[in-house]
Amino acid sequence: MTQLSVSSVAVEFGRTLLFEDVTFIVSRCDRWGVIGRNVSGQTRLFSRLTAESDPPRGVVAPPPRPRLAPREQHP
């Protein structure tokens, strides 16, 4: 069962394109994370996935009751 579907999403920071054509599906009981260097776009991607902001391109289809849990970065 699909919990989250992301299709052709772009992530931008101002005029800088961080990601494009991001496509994936998260199934029920999957656990996953996004890891990358500082300032590489992980927070912007998660804000798109949690519907805090709409992606400039592409479609994010969350489940009716999403259980996404972004964790804050600690030094």
Side-chain angles (χ1 to χ4, degrees):
M1 174 185 234
T2 299
Q3 293 294 305
L4 175 68
S5 176
V6 176
S7 179
S8 300
V9 168
V11 178
E12 299 173 346
F13 183 73
R15 292 184 180 181
T16 304
L17 180 63
L18 301 174
F19 303 110
E20 65 180 334
D21 296 326
V22 175
T23 301
F24 61 91
I25 294 174
V26 177
S27 298
R28 186 178 177 147
C29 296
D30 283 354
R31 292 175 188 247
W32 58 278
V34 177
I35 299 171
R37 294 170 51 185
N38 288 343
V39 195
S40 62
Q42 306 94 306
T43 301
R44 291 231 177 232
L45 177 60
F46 267 100
S47 73
R48 299 326 191 247
L49 301 180
T50 59
E52 290 178 28
S53 62
D54 292 328
R57 294 188 302 266
V59 177
V60 175
R65 296 182 317 214
R67 290 187 59 188
L68 300 174
R71 299 192 54 133
E72 295 297 321
Q73 179 177 345
H74 298 285

